Amino acid sequence: MKTLKNHLILFDEECPMCRMYTNAFVSTGLLDEDGRAAYQELPTQACPMVDRQRAANEIALVNQETGEVTYGIDSLFKIFALIMPFFGPLFRFKPFVWLMSKVYAFIAYNRRVIVPPAKGESYQFQPTFKLHYRIVYLIFTWLVTAYVLSAYTGLMYGLLPAGHPYREYFVCGGQILFQGLVITFVNRDKIWEYLGNMMTISFAGALLLLPAMLLSAWFSLSPYFYLAWFMAVAGLMLLEHIRRSKLLKIGWTLTITWVLYRIAVLFIII
């Protein structure tokens, strides 16, 4: 496999996803062994041409011979072109680059709520918060979660009454509004950060339901099996909500209302 020689990729030390995939670039030989570094720990004089704030938003790739710096999706395409050279023309096709830059930005500007820093944000340069990307993220996770739940509830026939086709969309959307109202009183400064984390938990829970849905396509299992699976996933979601609430330092109020909302909805449905 070819190696992109004399290039240095600058990743976000506080981002577990960034650490993971840049480490994969090095371990697979796409970059030199010393081809990655955290932008937070890099002395300013080492790469004076790097825009530190932009590097916090979009991963930077520095050509150490020419001083050229690329950011975001352009950095990734430059590396991917090594292992998929036949996609080179596609990686240079402007409409495709524009589209993928939006996908990249969608993930990059929400990465702190997808996988939050384990020790909080402690460095000077932090990713810029962009409200429209957070709103798009909330809408995306809401729609996907509601879609999966709508399909999953049918597997628990006899245990839950059949409802309106859009019931789960109202339930999931209602929780965003309800918890958004609560966090306004608890800690107004963390509204969007909390809602992003909350919907990541919901989205992850929906993904954990997919294996059971896959089993239903091959086996005829009791509705109680799917109920037990659902309860196990709900338990994991609760634990993750507690963990993330601690990281956000918002106390127990949001976890309590998160549980109470779900209990109230269950009583209404039943």
Side-chain angles (χ1 to χ4, degrees):
M1 184 178 294
K2 292 183 179 180
T3 300
L4 193 61
K5 297 288 186 179
N6 299 314
H7 279 72
L8 180 68
I9 196 165
L10 303 179
F11 66 95
D12 182 357
E13 175 64 27
E14 295 177 317
C15 171
M17 290 190 301
C18 305
R19 293 200 305 269
M20 180 179 67
Y21 75 75
T22 55
N23 184 60
F25 289 157
V26 173
S27 61
T28 56
L30 289 172
L31 292 173
D32 294 322
E33 289 188 8
D34 57 351
R36 66 189 285 266
Y39 71 79
Q40 295 98 330
E41 300 174 357
L42 195 69
T44 304
Q45 61 272 21
C47 293
M49 72 293 293
V50 174
D51 182 333
R52 295 301 173 112
Q53 184 55 60
R54 188 175 180 184
N57 296 334
E58 308 171 79
I59 198 158
L61 182 66
V62 183
N63 185 325
Q64 295 180 293
E65 291 183 342
T66 65
E68 178 192 15
V69 184
T70 56
Y71 298 90
I73 198 65
D74 291 326
S75 298
L76 298 183
F77 280 169
K78 194 170 184 178
I79 296 173
F80 293 159
L82 288 175
I83 54 176
M84 297 179 288
F86 45 88
F87 280 133
L90 180 63
F91 294 158
R92 294 188 295 271
F93 184 52
K94 289 186 178 180
F96 179 73
V97 173
W98 178 86
L99 176 63
M100 295 310 296
S101 69
K102 297 303 178 183
V103 174
Y104 176 89
F106 171 75
I107 297 172
Y109 286 108
N110 287 297
R111 67 182 188 268
R112 293 294 178 87
V113 298
I114 296 174
V115 184
K119 298 180 181 179
E121 300 176 345
S122 56
Y123 292 99
Q124 176 185 358
F125 292 100
Q126 296 295 330
T128 303
F129 172 70
K130 293 199 174 183
L131 180 59
H132 60 286
Y133 280 116
R134 185 58 47 83
I135 292 175
V136 171
Y137 181 74
L138 295 180
I139 293 173
F140 170 77
T141 50
W142 163 50
L143 293 177
V144 173
T145 300
Y147 177 82
V148 173
L149 285 174
S150 296
Y152 193 88
T153 52
L155 300 176
M156 297 184 288
Y157 59 89
L159 301 178
L160 286 177
H164 191 278
Y166 296 109
R167 181 180 68 189
E168 300 304 328
Y169 292 88
F170 289 119
V171 171
C172 294
Q175 183 156 49
I176 295 175
L177 297 177
F178 179 73
Q179 291 293 94
L181 179 62
V182 175
I183 188 66
T184 299
F185 292 102
V186 174
N187 192 328
R188 182 183 293 271
D189 294 335
K190 294 187 177 181
I191 293 176
W192 297 107
E193 190 176 2
Y194 168 74
L195 290 178
N197 276 278
M198 184 192 76
M199 288 311 296
T200 297
I201 296 170
S202 296
F203 181 66
L207 295 181
L208 289 175
L209 295 178
L210 295 180
M213 295 175 66
L214 184 62
L215 287 175
S216 70
W218 295 92
F219 304 100
S220 179
L221 300 172
S222 167
Y224 288 99
F225 169 82
Y226 298 109
L227 176 62
W229 189 292
F230 181 85
M231 294 303 294
V233 170
L236 292 175
M237 291 170 62
L238 175 59
L239 293 176
E240 181 62 9
H241 193 283
I242 294 172
R243 186 184 77 87
R244 292 188 181 226
S245 294
K246 289 180 179 178
L247 291 176
L248 291 174
K249 299 178 181 179
I250 55 176
W252 287 88
T253 302
L254 273 300
T255 297
I256 293 171
T257 56
W258 184 82
V259 173
L260 290 178
Y261 177 87
R262 291 172 177 269
I263 293 175
V265 167
L266 181 61
F267 276 112
I268 292 173
I269 292 175
I270 295 176

